[in-house]
Amino acid sequence: MKVSQNWLKSLVEITSTPEDLSEKLSIGGFEVESLEDCSENVNGVVLGKVLSVLKHEGSDKLSICQVDIGTSNNLQIICGARNIKSNIFVYVANVGAKLSAVNLTIKRSEIRGVISEGMICSLQELGLENFSEGIEIIDEDLALKHELGTPGSNLLKLNDFIYDLAITANRPDGMSVIGIAREISALLESKLNFPEIYHKYNIHLLKGIQLCQEAITSDCIYTISCIDGVNGEKLSPNWLKERIEKSGIKSINLLVDLTNYILLEQGQPLHAFDKDKLSNLIGKEVSPGDFSVRKAKDNESLECLDGKKYDLNENITVITCCDKPVAIAGVIGGLETSVTNTTSSIYIEGAVFNPVTIRKSSKAVGIRTESSSRYEKGISSKNTISAVTRAINLLEEYFDINLPIINTSNLINNEDIFIKLRRNRIHKILGPLIINDQFEKRNLSDSEIVDKLTLIGCTLKSKEYGWDVSVIPNRSQDLIREIDLIEEIARLIGYDRFDLNLPNPIKPGKLSSEQLALRKVKNGFIENGFNEVLSYSLVPEDKETLIKISNPLLLETSCLRDNIWKEHLEIVNRNIKAGQTSCFIFEIGNVFYKNTDLIQEEVLNGTIFGNRKFGKWLNSGKDNDLNYYQARGKLKEALSCLNIKINDKPTDSIEFLHPGRTAKLIIEGKDAGYFGEIHPKLILEKKSLKKVYLFSINVAKLLGACTRKNKWIPIFKQYPIVPKMERDINFVFSKKFLISEITSQIKKTGKNLLEDVYLIDVFEDIKLGEDYISYTFRLSYRDKDKTLLDSEIKSIHSSIISKVEKSFNTKLRN
């Protein structure tokens, strides 16, 4: 938002320098991105009078001029302009002046043997016009009002500064000059001088007007007013033209400029339609009831004011006249019904639309305008009729018009809505003020609170508990709660003036066991060669089951993800293309599902590709990828710090994983995730460039298991003082039996003396049969009190062998 200081000075008393005001505005919440001195390009340029003009003997085009700039000695200046003559007033650039528009520093120079002590300037050279045919000759009446030598900025009215403000989404009042003036008044505690609005026009309630319920909600409004007797050829007065152009809007004619002026001054976008063009479009005399607001249709199009033709769709809201689109609501008007120099009657539209619909329309057509940026931030419908009235007041000053009727879709309730503001709540949240450099402290007085809120336009009613506060309409979007008012008080007084208000005593924070466990998990993966990645949780809509977000910025980020493995696969593919021979990654993130309710689940996901080794001499150039068991071992090593057991149960139900090399991960008897090799079909389809292993574990189940007291808190266990006895047994099993089933049976049979059992060898051979495999287990026996004898474990060992043979239909191998 650009605004000129001279305009602000007409609305509010400004007592500080532009630099100080910029700092105050930035601290107050309106960041000043740049401060432009309008007179910078004409520094060193003064008013002069050409006394005489003589032809240069060495040139046909140059003239030697004697110029009076109010000093004791006249200047001799060489000039090549065709329109130079004696007894005219001109702009003279003195020696040392910098004309940035033409990148020139004026120096005392010799031109064909004659000294030149300055330069007589054109408006182009001063940066005020794109093209000038000669020097600028100043109007004599204007020049005589000033002394010779007066700075050119005074005559050109360039003694001004332009503030470029960054307005945040929660402060739509900053999108109007009146809102900025009120903010300055509050910061400087100075007087306001707003223009008076004369409410003398009849307001008529439009009944039966067709309005889109999504675009015009209960707190919105649509007004349309017919004004006859205007003239599209009339140009804007200098004061109006100067104000809008300094705000970055090009002047067109008085009618269009007035709508833009109200947009800047009041923050209320207005649009003017040519009445005769509307009548020609619909084939009859147009009336206010012919206007409507609806969603566009897929086969419609509209040529707009920027000269481009836009294809419309159902995401775009349009203004129609007899169901024919004439504007994209809140964004841009149509060219066919626009105001031109032939316009003699207009319809002025003033409305407040639902910000969401304007944002959708703006995004769909790919343009953002001054109007749409204000509607998107949200403006109050209580200001609309006042803004329209202000526009008609200005039109009356320049045209002979009859008193128009303001037709409105609904009559806005102007009753004040009060916010309860408690005195003790203010003191509790803000704490005491520091007085006299911390030697004295006190709470805010009632008068200080009332004064600050009054400065921003609030009305206060005294109550026993404090006040009931009503807020002006253009602050009703951000001041809606008690805490909002308290924040405003603190902002206007200055946060740095309040004492520290820390809890007493301060209790140090600490990580919960779940947070500590999560740190352990991350460290475990990193120590085992994994890299942590972070992928985007928004994805394109590639299937109907995804959860759509209501207002996406891009189609590529329109839904919430339901998996992480696809993005991880893309990361691995990029690493492979970059020549990497391995890629171990993991991520802890959320996935989202749509069932009867929306479900958010935190998961630990990861991918293993290649074999991460530093030494490569032994297998240089050879494919040395990890097999299934080695890759599963990497996951086991990474999670070993949690001291929990994760069992594997083969499965072929996961469609993107290899049906013979995939397992469900079971924690405490519950399905907690999966581990498996990528399905070969994805490699054939080039979705995966190499064989990779994917895993996913539910974080809640993982942390729930490892943070139980018997797992999380270490318990000292006496070291054994007697040796153990080990026995190996070897069986040929059917491949349908799981290792976990076999070891469980052995442990159950071994009772108290069997300390441990683990697999030490796997052997496959065609002689055993395609469906059979040999497993060798090592059994450890120990008695905590004495050294066992072979005779003492013989019966238990035999019992284990017979039980295994019977349960799994196998025989002990010699």
Side-chain angles (χ1 to χ4, degrees), residues 345-358:
S345 297
I346 59 171
Y347 268 98
I348 285 187
E349 172 201 78
V352 172
F353 301 101
N354 181 359
V356 174
T357 61
I358 303 304

Side-chain angles (χ1 to χ4, degrees), residues 23 45 71 86 143 149 154 292 303 306 347 384 389 416 440 519 562 593 611 616 656 669 681 703 768 787 801:
E23 185 177 354
V45 177
T71 57
S86 58
N154 290 5
S292 63
E303 187 176 3
D306 57 2
Y347 268 98
T384 303
T389 302
D416 291 331
E440 183 184 344
R519 284 196 176 184
D562 63 352
Y593 304 104
N611 192 358
K616 296 183 179 179
F656 56 88
K681 71 177 182 181
L703 299 183
L768 299 176
T787 302
I801 292 171

Side-chain angles (χ1 to χ4, degrees), residues 539-750:
V539 295
E541 184 183 0
D542 54 6
K543 53 184 178 180
E544 292 184 359
T545 55
L546 293 177
I547 300 170
K548 298 179 185 178
I549 60 176
S550 59
N551 191 28
L553 290 175
L554 300 168
L555 290 174
E556 292 77 12
T557 56
S558 58
C559 298
L560 294 170
R561 66 184 177 190
D562 63 352
N563 69 78
I564 302 179
W565 68 267
K566 287 184 179 179
E567 182 60 31
H568 283 191
L569 203 57
E570 288 294 324
I571 294 172
V572 172
N573 287 342
R574 287 196 292 271
N575 277 269
I576 293 170
K577 289 177 181 178
Q580 298 297 317
T581 57
S582 65
C583 183
F584 291 11
I585 58 174
F586 78 98
E587 176 180 356
I588 296 174
N590 292 315
V591 292
F592 307 87
Y593 304 104
K594 183 165 57 176
N595 203 343
T596 51
D597 294 322
L598 300 181
I599 300 170
Q600 177 177 311
E601 180 184 337
E602 190 176 22
V603 294
L604 164 63
N605 258 75
T607 306
I608 300 172
F609 157 69
N611 192 358
R612 180 159 289 188
K613 287 186 177 180
F614 290 106
K616 296 183 179 179
W617 282 28
L618 296 176
N619 55 3
S620 180
K622 296 180 181 178
D623 186 8
N624 194 35
D625 291 342
L626 299 177
N627 62 33
Y628 177 90
Y629 300 104
Q630 290 171 322
R632 177 66 180 86
K634 289 289 182 184
L635 177 61
K636 183 178 179 180
E637 286 177 18
L639 295 174
S640 60
C641 58
L642 297 183
N643 193 31
I644 59 173
K645 187 171 181 60
I646 301 178
N647 294 318
D648 293 43
K649 184 178 181 181
T651 181
D652 57 3
S653 62
I654 303 175
E655 60 179 13
F656 56 88
L657 295 178
H658 195 301
R661 298 174 190 171
T662 302
K664 287 185 177 181
L665 303 180
I666 309 299
I667 299 177
E668 295 184 332
K670 297 177 182 178
D671 184 359
Y674 62 78
F675 178 91
E677 183 183 315
I678 196 74
H679 201 291
K681 71 177 182 181
L682 295 182
I683 299 177
L684 292 173
E685 294 170 359
K686 300 297 182 182
K687 292 180 180 178
S688 177
L689 300 179
K690 295 278 187 178
K691 179 177 73 175
V692 299
Y693 298 94
L694 306 174
F695 61 86
S696 178
I697 302 174
N698 182 289
V699 171
K701 293 178 181 178
L702 183 70
L703 299 183
C706 72
T707 54
R708 300 194 192 287
K709 282 188 178 181
N710 60 335
K711 296 284 186 183
W712 187 247
I713 302 173
I715 299 174
F716 176 75
K717 190 176 182 180
Q718 184 69 43
Y719 283 98
I721 58 174
V722 295
K724 64 181 177 182
M725 297 183 68
E726 294 181 337
R727 296 287 185 272
D728 294 349
I729 54 176
N730 178 265
F731 296 93
V732 175
F733 292 94
S734 171
K735 289 183 179 179
K736 67 180 181 180
F737 296 118
L738 303 178
I739 297 292
S740 59
E741 295 175 342
I742 300 168
T743 54
S744 178
Q745 184 63 59
I746 292 172
K747 287 179 180 179
K748 191 186 296 184
T749 310

Side-chain angles (χ1 to χ4, degrees), residues 331-387:
V331 180
I332 191 169
L335 185 62
E336 191 176 358
T337 57
S338 63
V339 171
T340 61
N341 57 0
T342 61
T343 300
S344 59
S345 297
I346 59 171
Y347 268 98
I348 285 187
E349 172 201 78
V352 172
F353 301 101
N354 181 359
V356 174
T357 61
I358 303 304
R359 207 172 293 123
K360 285 180 178 178
S361 297
S362 180
K363 180 188 166 189
V365 296
I367 56 173
R368 198 160 185 263
T369 61
E370 292 284 347
S371 295
S372 67
S373 63
R374 284 163 175 77
Y375 281 128
E376 286 173 17
K377 285 182 170 65
I379 58 178
S380 174
S381 57
K382 291 184 178 181
N383 281 337
T384 303
I385 290 178
S386 293

